[in-house]
Amino acid sequence: MGEAAPRRKLSPEEYLDLERASEARHEYAGGELFAMSGGTFEHSAIAANIGRLLGNALSERGCVALNSDMRIKIPAADRYVYPDGSVVCGRPEFEDERRDTLLNPVLVIEVLSDCEAYDRGDKFAHYQTVASIREVVLASQKAPRIEVFARQADGSWVLRVHGPGARAALSSVGCEIGVDDVYRGVLAATNL
């Protein structure tokens, strides 16, 4: 048996052409595509609740909450990703006239799933390279727990963990969301 032919890496332009024509979504990392899998009920409901709460809180603040359909470019890592949610304030900047790849989110949201190690590790490290990102929110889908990583003036990141009954302050967008509101009706064991 011979050796497998090496896979040709895609350029960012080739990726965008394929992605825009595809019914499935893929993240892009250094020339390779990674299919996005579907999520659980809990994952979907938590992401939707956060998006709704942020949308309501931001309606008069010049910021827009976006769902997981908005692709974000991470130039320093040669990546394109789909967070579970994001927020842009002021004028959104896009990679091109298609307006489907955001360059300047101020906040990104990840609902932790089977890929939790990736979300906490490489993906979080890549988000840190995007100058516009001021906060990264990680929400558990197993327990009512919201982690907010906030960029400090010196470039370091501070973690604040919020549990049942708490309100997670999001300084990048000037609002807060209630943990109980995020998980209400989602996790049967929490009785929220």
Side-chain angles (χ1 to χ4, degrees):
M1 181 179 288
E3 290 183 34
R7 292 175 51 185
R8 185 179 74 80
K9 294 191 179 238
L10 297 173
S11 71
E13 296 77 19
E14 290 170 315
Y15 159 73
L16 288 172
D17 287 343
L18 285 171
E19 188 69 1
R20 288 168 174 161
S22 176
E23 290 188 24
R25 291 188 314 171
H26 305 84
E27 290 194 347
Y28 173 90
E32 296 185 60
L33 297 182
F34 297 90
M36 302 289 296
S37 62
T40 64
F41 167 84
E42 291 80 7
H43 186 281
S44 181
I46 292 164
N49 285 346
I50 292 172
R52 177 182 47 79
L53 292 166
L54 284 174
N56 290 341
L58 300 175
S59 64
E60 302 294 324
R61 297 178 193 251
C63 298
V64 177
L66 303 163
N67 68 20
S68 62
D69 290 336
M70 181 51 61
R71 183 176 40 247
I72 293 177
K73 182 177 182 177
I74 303 176
D78 192 24
R79 288 183 181 256
Y80 292 85
V81 298
Y82 290 93
D84 293 312
S86 59
V87 175
V88 63
C89 295
R91 185 171 181 255
E93 297 173 14
F94 299 100
E95 181 164 42
D96 58 29
E97 69 283 345
R98 295 288 298 266
R99 300 173 57 87
D100 59 0
T101 305
L102 185 64
L103 301 176
N104 64 330
V106 297
L107 181 146
V108 292
I109 300 137
E110 294 290 349
V111 177
L112 301 173
S113 59
D114 293 340
C115 300
E116 181 172 342
Y118 170 60
D119 289 340
R120 289 184 177 284
D122 288 347
K123 200 169 192 181
F124 178 68
H126 297 313
Y127 284 145
Q128 290 176 305
T129 69
V130 179
S132 65
I133 296 177
R134 310 306 306 157
E135 287 178 308
V136 176
V137 173
L138 301 180
S140 172
Q141 70 169 324
K142 297 177 181 173
R145 176 184 169 99
I146 295 176
E147 301 172 20
V148 179
F149 291 86
R151 188 188 308 258
Q152 303 302 294
D154 66 0
S156 64
W157 291 77
V158 172
L159 167 63
R160 290 191 172 75
V161 179
H162 308 278
R167 297 191 62 76
L170 303 173
S171 60
S172 64
V173 294
C175 72
E176 55 184 42
I177 57 174
V179 174
D180 294 353
D181 296 328
V182 169
Y183 291 91
R184 191 172 320 283
V186 178
L187 301 176
T190 64
N191 295 320
L192 296 176

